[in-house]
Amino acid sequence: MRVSVIIPNYNRAAVIGETVQNMLSQSLAPHEVIVVDDGSTDDSVKVIRHFGNHVTLIQQSNQGPGAARNAGLKVATGEFIQFMDSDDLASLNKLEVQAKVLKEQNADIVYGPWVKAWMSNQKLQLQDVVLQQKPLPSDRSTLLWFLSSWSMVFQQCLLRKSLLDRVGGYREDLRLYEDGELFVRMLLGGAKLVHEAHSLTLYRLEDHGKLTSSGSNSLQKILDKAHFFALVIESLSKHNEYKPILQHSEVSFNIWRSLSEFEQSNVPDVDWIIPLQVLAGNCSSLVMRAKKWSQQKISGLQYRLTGHRWHRSYQPSSMTEKQEYLIRELGFDLL
């Protein structure tokens, strides 16, 4: 089972070495670790070169996360692909567990538990709960969950390379929501998604020069979110079986809210915004505002009762003893 690990990097000299070592220390040794440095101006390249021939280093001018990951994909030769952000970590069994699941279940994507946490000086503090302790609830399709109330990060996943070859790589005109746009294409392409509960991905909350944050701002986020929904509308409109998803109340609300943010940003209209305007034009502004208000109230009540705001689709719950062991195996003490 050959796993190619692809890590885009931008000005993360303080943490990229830890992430690379984490991947090299996996119980299933990766077939290759490819780090794409996206025009760093710090000591990142020096840190990466310290690993010698254990890492394939690609250097390019700053072009964003999509372009960096595409550059890695072009040279990857593994059967499976692990996209890893340059500051995140995974339990040492992740590649082994997930590659085995992909193989045994003949799946295209496997996703496992993940947790947001602060990590410093071998101390780890959870933001709140562990996410995706169980699979998505079965009362909605994965695509409907994703467009209504759920999201994922590719760090928690392992992907079959043949799926990426089939649907294509990342769009390079999105600095944000590029993962989501690719995920939608995967689902529309018939990807088989399965869940496993035995690994754990650690999503670092500190920003050490994230490609998605350092290369963008709040306006960029508004623009890319609206562009993402425009692309979704275009894609789903080509498939009769998926068109009803666009009429779902939660999906319509998300599109309406994205359009509202776009219009309030006072940027000039672009041609691709028209599909959002058409779909949102069928929504009652009063009803949408009432829905936004009710969501905020419900979220606040949930936080007071549970200590977190995560939707049930994330299957959130407290950390298990097994997961605590996986964290200690990485050398962290839990706070």
Side-chain angles (χ1 to χ4, degrees), residues 255-264 273 276-277 280:
I255 293 172
W256 172 85
R257 184 168 57 180
S258 178
L259 178 62
S260 297
E261 293 170 351
F262 177 89
E263 292 175 339
Q264 292 169 15
I273 201 66
L276 276 76
Q277 294 170 332

Side-chain angles (χ1 to χ4, degrees), residues 219-239:
L219 178 59
Q220 186 70 52
K221 183 176 182 179
I222 290 171
L223 291 172
D224 280 353
K225 183 178 180 180
H227 197 181
F228 162 74
F229 277 117
L231 293 167
V232 166
I233 293 170
E234 179 184 3
S235 296
L236 269 62
S237 297
K238 296 176 182 178
H239 302 268

Side-chain angles (χ1 to χ4, degrees), residues 65-245:
R69 294 186 182 103
N70 282 342
L73 276 173
K74 288 178 182 178
V75 301
T77 58
E79 180 184 5
F80 306 127
I81 300 294
Q82 171 68 64
F83 288 119
M84 201 70 185
D85 275 10
S86 52
D87 64 341
D88 295 334
L89 303 173
S91 58
L92 298 181
N93 67 345
K94 183 182 189 295
L95 298 186
E96 180 178 9
V97 166
Q98 294 195 335
K100 183 178 179 181
V101 170
L102 282 182
K103 202 82 170 179
E104 291 180 348
Q105 300 197 33
N106 194 29
D108 298 298
I109 307 172
V110 57
Y111 66 113
W114 63 293
V115 63
K116 291 188 174 186
W118 291 274
M119 292 172 264
S120 179
N121 298 320
Q122 296 308 115
K123 306 289 185 182
L124 186 143
Q125 181 178 358
L126 305 186
Q127 181 188 54
D128 41 45
V129 290
V130 179
L131 308 177
Q132 231 56 65
Q133 296 279 38
K134 297 178 182 179
L136 278 165
S138 59
D139 52 325
R140 294 183 186 180
S141 69
T142 302
L143 184 57
L144 179 51
W145 274 126
F146 185 68
L147 296 176
S148 60
S149 52
W150 177 74
S151 64
M152 43 71 73
V153 294
F154 278 136
Q155 299 95 299
Q156 73 179 113
C157 304
L158 190 66
L159 312 173
R160 192 176 290 273
K161 189 174 186 294
S162 59
L163 170 67
L164 291 160
D165 293 338
R166 187 167 77 245
V167 305
Y170 283 86
R171 289 187 67 102
E172 299 184 7
D173 55 349
L174 295 174
R175 286 263 174 170
L176 296 160
Y177 296 93
E178 80 286 352
D179 282 344
E181 191 278 333
L182 176 56
F183 188 54
V184 169
R185 274 189 283 128
M186 290 176 176
L187 295 178
L188 292 177
K192 180 181 178 181
L193 181 75
V194 296
H195 177 266
E196 59 81 17
H198 302 291
S199 72
L200 182 66
T201 299
L202 307 181
Y203 183 99
R204 191 188 299 265
L205 287 172
E206 297 93 342
D207 174 19
H208 292 278
K210 289 179 182 291
L211 269 69
T212 52
S213 60
S214 57
S216 61
N217 52 36
S218 58
L219 178 59
Q220 186 70 52
K221 183 176 182 179
I222 290 171
L223 291 172
D224 280 353
K225 183 178 180 180
H227 197 181
F228 162 74
F229 277 117
L231 293 167
V232 166
I233 293 170
E234 179 184 3
S235 296
L236 269 62
S237 297
K238 296 176 182 178
H239 302 268
N240 288 331
E241 65 270 35
Y242 295 121
K243 285 182 180 179
I245 290 179

